[in-house]
Amino acid sequence: MDLEFYKYQGTGNDFIMIDNRSKTFPKNKTDIIAKLCDRHFGIGADGLILLEEDNTTDFKMVYYNSDGNESTMCGNGGRCIVAFAHKLGLFETETTFIAIDGLHHASISNNLVSLQMIDVDKVNIFDKYVFTNTGSPHHVQLVNDLANYDVFSNGKEIRNEIYGTEGSNVNFVEQIANNTFKVRTYERGVEDETLACGTGVTAVAIAMHATKKTNSSSIILPVEGGELEVSFSEQNGIYSEVFLKGPATFVFKGKINI
């Protein structure tokens, strides 16, 4: 069958978007999804996202990692599907949608998408790192000279040695200013460094606030693919009104035989 697809990217995190309201996409074919995401033999992407109908919100988001397996929440993917839904005319400026981690609110202005993430009520602080879940599990660790840090080797080791089969995303962080933290992320499922990770920078912002590296509730996060912003409210260690903001850009559309 010929599959119509759209390609989107958010700060270099790129995704194949498919309008699956007709329910024709072969969701159980992990090999097809993995091949579509393959940068040599397919379209190439960090993940594939299906837009489907939902009874109570504007749409449903179904996210697959580039290995073909359905995964947990993807923040930049969430921002990109908002831009995609806007392109399809499903809403004007504000929307709600359902994802694997629950209900999300979002808004779009020009190419900037602001996405509300889940509340975070548990931040595990260890001697050398922080672990928290912002829709996906994240390890957050401060390092020196991030530009020259071996993200792939160290990220792969931490992902497997500490977190086992299920794994965790691994974020390496360098503080630039009081409210600015540069981030590089090794993503499970992709099993490589990506140019950005939305749930990752969200975890970094919360972790840096929880460990008192910053007293700001609005955090700027330069990533390899651009810049993201995370804002939140915090009371008694509970983080709510968590918003991830940044660009989400349409790249191209096409058809491919699967």
Side-chain angles (χ1 to χ4, degrees):
M1 62 177 283
D2 283 335
L3 175 70
E4 183 177 73
F5 68 89
Y6 296 73
K7 183 78 178 283
Y8 276 78
Q9 63 89 9
T11 53
N13 223 180
D14 60 340
F15 306 97
I16 299 164
M17 296 285 177
I18 296 167
D19 181 354
N20 195 42
R21 288 176 291 175
S22 62
K23 299 182 179 179
T24 56
F25 186 81
K27 297 169 70 169
N28 60 334
K29 301 287 188 180
T30 58
D31 58 331
I32 290 177
I33 297 169
K35 186 174 180 180
L36 289 170
C37 291
D38 191 286
R39 298 191 185 278
H40 300 287
F41 300 101
I43 300 163
D46 291 327
L48 182 146
I49 302 175
L50 302 179
L51 183 148
E52 299 185 339
E53 288 187 339
D54 182 66
N55 292 330
T56 57
T57 66
D58 289 331
F59 58 92
K60 178 182 179 182
M61 170 185 175
V62 184
Y63 175 69
Y64 298 86
N65 278 327
S66 62
D67 61 5
N69 292 303
E70 187 173 355
S71 189
T72 49
M73 181 58 182
C74 175
N76 284 328
R79 292 190 310 98
C80 284
I81 199 172
V82 168
F84 180 42
H86 184 261
K87 185 179 181 69
L88 294 177
L90 298 187
F91 70 96
E92 290 188 5
T93 58
E94 296 184 357
T95 186
T96 59
F97 69 94
I98 199 79
I100 194 168
D101 62 341
L103 179 68
H104 289 268
H105 298 264
S107 62
I108 186 168
S109 178
N110 296 321
N111 283 330
L112 285 177
V113 174
S114 180
L115 171 66
Q116 186 170 15
M117 307 295 283
I118 63 168
D119 292 353
V120 175
D121 60 6
K122 194 171 185 180
V123 181
N124 299 302
I125 302 173
F126 299 91
D127 287 341
K128 295 183 179 180
Y129 66 91
V130 175
F131 178 83
T132 191
N133 192 306
T134 53
S136 288
H138 281 279
H139 174 109
V140 177
Q141 184 171 320
L142 282 164
V143 300
N144 296 317
D145 192 19
L146 181 60
N148 296 304
Y149 194 77
D150 189 349
V151 170
F152 177 79
S153 298
N154 290 303
K156 182 178 181 180
E157 181 179 1
I158 291 169
R159 175 252 190 269
N160 290 291
E161 295 299 322
I162 296 180
Y163 299 101
T165 304
E166 184 176 344
S168 172
N169 301 288
V170 183
N171 305 273
F172 299 105
V173 186
E174 184 174 13
Q175 186 164 10
I176 306 300
N178 175 58
N179 73 327
T180 306
F181 297 86
K182 188 174 182 182
V183 183
R184 293 175 64 187
T185 302
Y186 179 95
E187 285 200 50
R188 65 171 187 171
V190 179
E191 305 307 334
D192 202 349
E193 180 180 4
T194 55
L195 294 180
C197 177
T199 53
V201 297
T202 304
V204 168
I206 290 172
M208 294 301 99
H209 187 271
T211 55
K212 303 188 186 311
K213 302 299 181 187
T214 181
N215 57 6
S216 178
S217 59
S218 180
I219 313 295
I220 305 300
L221 301 129
V223 294
E224 293 296 283
E227 186 174 282
L228 293 161
E229 180 182 353
V230 173
S231 60
F232 49 77
S233 297
E234 182 270 331
Q235 190 170 8
N236 299 321
I238 297 174
Y239 291 82
S240 61
E241 297 295 313
V242 181
F243 282 90
L244 170 67
K245 184 178 180 180
T249 306
F250 169 68
V251 183
F252 63 88
K253 67 178 288 189
K255 287 185 178 181
I256 189 169
N257 188 262
I258 60 171

